[in-house]
Amino acid sequence: MKLPNPLSITLSGLLCQSHLALSEDPPLPPWYPLKPWEISSFQYRSPRVGPYGTNATSLNITISNPSRIPAGPAPHASGGGYVVFSNSTAQCSVHWKFDDRTPYGHTKDTCSAPTSGATTPNWNITINEIQPGYYMDYSFSLAYHLHAYGSDFYKLLSGHIRLQPEEDLEGGCDENDICSYTLKNGSAPLLIQPVLAECRYACG
């Protein structure tokens, strides 16, 4: 009986191990999966048609990131070996005007959000387009900053939502052509899936 060549056994084992290593999926990024943001309140008021000034409009939204997000690796950190950005809630209050010189997509404003521990959250809202009675299109961004272990950790997340009367909102326009909307009863919270736009450390 011919015995197998020890060298061939070794090579075969190495090739097998190599194949297994190549076929395994890479580890998921430490910030994945990003959990949805939540809109828990929404109040809107504006004339049906323009032009109109800023005093005629108001938009108030409460939006939150309910989960902690890994900011970057750090020894013995509380987030399983990662420094984490704390969850945060923001109040967005926007007044805008509508005329030929103020197109949609250029109405951008900051939202008020308190610092949580060492985490500084910076929320922004952009009005992309509003068609009262049809739809309202908004974008949000959340920039996280945190200084720890001698490093400046940073992530920028962005998200988008289109709200529609009857589906997400309830309300309408009165006899004076003033339109008011709130979240439809039972629809809160509305969810927005964010994506990672910019990152420093733990970027996957």
Side-chain angles (χ1 to χ4, degrees), residues 69-84:
I69 298 175
H76 313 298
S78 60
Y82 285 90
V83 177
V84 294

Side-chain angles (χ1 to χ4, degrees), residues 146-168:
L146 185 154
H147 182 82
Y149 295 95
S151 297
D152 291 311
F153 300 102
Y154 166 78
K155 275 186 174 65
L156 175 63
L157 311 175
S158 62
H160 164 266
I161 193 169
R162 173 169 287 197
L163 304 178
Q164 295 179 296
E166 309 279 330
E167 186 173 327
D168 310 297

Side-chain angles (χ1 to χ4, degrees), residues 50-125:
Y52 49 75
T54 56
N55 292 334
T57 62
S58 66
L59 173 66
N60 294 284
I61 294 177
T62 302
I63 186 171
S64 63
N65 172 42
S67 60
R68 301 192 306 167
I69 298 175
H76 313 298
S78 60
Y82 285 90
V83 177
V84 294
F85 297 121
S86 301
N87 53 13
S88 64
T89 299
Q91 301 292 332
C92 304
S93 298
V94 186
H95 300 275
W96 70 98
K97 65 179 181 178
F98 177 59
D99 56 36
D100 292 340
R101 295 178 297 174
T102 314
Y104 287 122
H106 292 267
T107 303
K108 183 176 181 179
D109 208 343
T110 59
C111 305
S112 174
T115 297
S116 177
T119 300
T120 302
N122 295 305
W123 287 87
N124 283 282
I125 181 174

Side-chain angles (χ1 to χ4, degrees), residues 3-84:
L3 295 174
N5 188 328
L7 179 59
S8 67
I9 294 176
T10 302
L11 288 174
S12 175
L14 289 174
L15 288 172
C16 181
Q17 292 176 14
S18 175
H19 173 73
L20 288 174
L22 290 174
S23 64
E24 289 180 356
D25 292 332
L28 291 173
W31 46 264
Y32 181 88
L34 292 173
K35 292 182 173 60
W37 294 339
E38 299 179 354
I39 292 180
S40 56
S41 69
F42 177 95
Q43 292 90 34
Y44 170 95
R45 186 178 186 276
S46 81
R48 185 198 299 267
V49 295
Y52 49 75
T54 56
N55 292 334
T57 62
S58 66
L59 173 66
N60 294 284
I61 294 177
T62 302
I63 186 171
S64 63
N65 172 42
S67 60
R68 301 192 306 167
I69 298 175
H76 313 298
S78 60
Y82 285 90
V83 177
V84 294

Side-chain angles (χ1 to χ4, degrees), residues 126-165:
T126 299
I127 299 176
N128 300 316
E129 188 175 4
I130 295 175
Q131 297 293 338
Y134 297 97
Y135 61 85
M136 303 177 188
D137 201 280
Y138 305 102
S139 294
F140 297 87
S141 67
L142 168 58
Y144 270 132
H145 299 268
L146 185 154
H147 182 82
Y149 295 95
S151 297
D152 291 311
F153 300 102
Y154 166 78
K155 275 186 174 65
L156 175 63
L157 311 175
S158 62
H160 164 266
I161 193 169
R162 173 169 287 197
L163 304 178
Q164 295 179 296

